[in-house]
């Protein structure tokens, strides 16, 4: 697993040694960032189901200013922390070992507002719509925030205001939805 583009281009990342995470392939990562950018002019990124941290790191490499990465599994948390140290980005990349609900509550209390949100939860949980509602209700998204949702094809959901579906792409059993938050 490696960083595809930007200031950390070609840097190797460690992957999680666990059957509970499914790393995004380099090809899918490249496709995803070509759909949403491919580069950013600053902003704060939330990677709510971090895994190895690869997607959030890619966003930092491509111009985001700060990253908040969350995963409740210890192996994933440790891998993310190790990748942050490897790239020497601990000053702008923060990792939290906690459930996504607790993390959202904490970030809401801190008054954080995001410009990019990456949602790639374990399949079958049907939680993405609830997460989007929480982010909206707690005013955690800047106008124009992009939200990337990856889930099973049958888990794709209807998008309602204040979210706008920008792009949707299927890859085998998964669907990638790119949303934009419009205040």
């Amino acid at each position: 697993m490696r960083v595809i583009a930007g200031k950390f281009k070609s840097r190797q990342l460690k992957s999680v040694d666990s059957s509970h995470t499914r790393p995004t392939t380099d090809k899918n990562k490249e496709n995803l960032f070509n759909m949403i950018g491919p580069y950013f002019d600053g902003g704060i990124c939330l990677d709510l189901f971090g895994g190895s941290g690869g997607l959030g790191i890619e966003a930092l490499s491509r111009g985001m200013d700060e990253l908040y990465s969350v995963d409740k599994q210890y192996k994933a948390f440790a891998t993310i922390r190790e990748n942050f140290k490897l790239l020497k980005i601990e000053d702008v990349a923060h990792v939290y070992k906690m459930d996504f609900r607790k993390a959202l509550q904490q970030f809401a209390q801190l008054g954080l507002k995001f410009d990019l949100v990456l949602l790639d939860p374990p399949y079958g949980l049907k939680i993405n719509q609830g997460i989007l509602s929480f982010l909206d209700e707690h005013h955690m998204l800047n106008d124009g925030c992009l939200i990337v949702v990856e889930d099973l094809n049958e888990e794709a959901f209807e998008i309602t205001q204040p979210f706008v579906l920008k792009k949707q792409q299927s890859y085998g059993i998964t669907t990638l939805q790119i949303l934009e938050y419009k205040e």
Side-chain angles (χ1 to χ4, degrees):
M1 193 169 70
R2 64 186 174 89
V3 179
I4 305 296
K7 63 184 170 187
F8 304 120
K9 182 179 180 175
S10 300
R11 296 286 301 270
Q12 291 294 317
L13 299 174
K14 300 197 180 287
S15 59
V16 180
D17 182 24
S18 170
S19 62
H20 298 291
T21 60
R22 46 174 213 295
T24 303
T25 65
D26 286 351
K27 181 181 178 186
N28 284 355
K29 192 184 327 179
E30 187 170 15
N31 288 339
L32 182 158
F33 281 94
N34 284 337
M35 289 170 71
I36 64 172
Y39 293 95
F40 306 103
D41 189 21
I44 300 176
C45 177
L46 170 62
D47 188 0
L48 200 53
F49 302 90
S52 65
L55 288 179
I57 289 170
E58 189 75 35
L60 272 181
S61 183
R62 292 171 183 250
M64 295 302 287
D65 293 322
E66 198 168 4
L67 168 62
Y68 289 82
S69 189
V70 177
D71 207 296
K72 72 176 185 176
Q73 295 178 33
Y74 180 77
K75 285 184 178 181
F77 166 78
T79 301
I80 295 167
R81 189 175 57 195
E82 196 173 341
N83 281 329
F84 288 178
K85 285 182 182 176
L86 182 72
L87 297 173
K88 297 177 174 64
I89 56 174
E90 303 97 329
D91 57 330
V92 296
H94 319 283
V95 60
Y96 295 82
K97 185 197 171 298
M98 61 178 64
D99 179 77
F100 74 92
R101 292 171 197 90
K102 187 175 178 184
L104 288 173
Q105 288 284 345
Q106 184 171 330
F107 298 156
Q109 290 172 353
L110 292 171
L112 291 176
K113 292 187 79 152
F114 300 102
D115 301 286
L116 175 64
V117 176
L118 304 169
L119 297 179
D120 187 8
Y123 289 158
L125 297 181
K126 299 181 182 183
I127 55 176
N128 288 321
Q129 200 145 26
I131 292 169
L132 292 177
S133 294
F134 185 94
L135 291 167
D136 178 38
E137 290 165 11
H138 290 83
H139 311 287
M140 297 174 69
L141 304 173
N142 286 317
D143 189 44
C145 175
L146 291 176
I147 300 105
V148 177
V149 181
E150 183 178 336
D151 215 334
L152 293 171
N153 289 330
E154 60 267 18
E155 303 287 320
F157 54 91
E158 190 173 324
I159 309 303
T160 59
Q161 291 184 346
F163 300 97
V164 176
L165 180 63
K166 301 296 282 180
K167 296 179 185 175
Q168 185 165 328
Q169 181 71 46
S170 290
Y171 299 96
I173 64 167
T174 64
T175 294
L176 194 62
Q177 293 176 300
I178 311 298
L179 316 177
E180 185 175 4
Y181 178 75
K182 293 288 192 179
E183 284 186 293

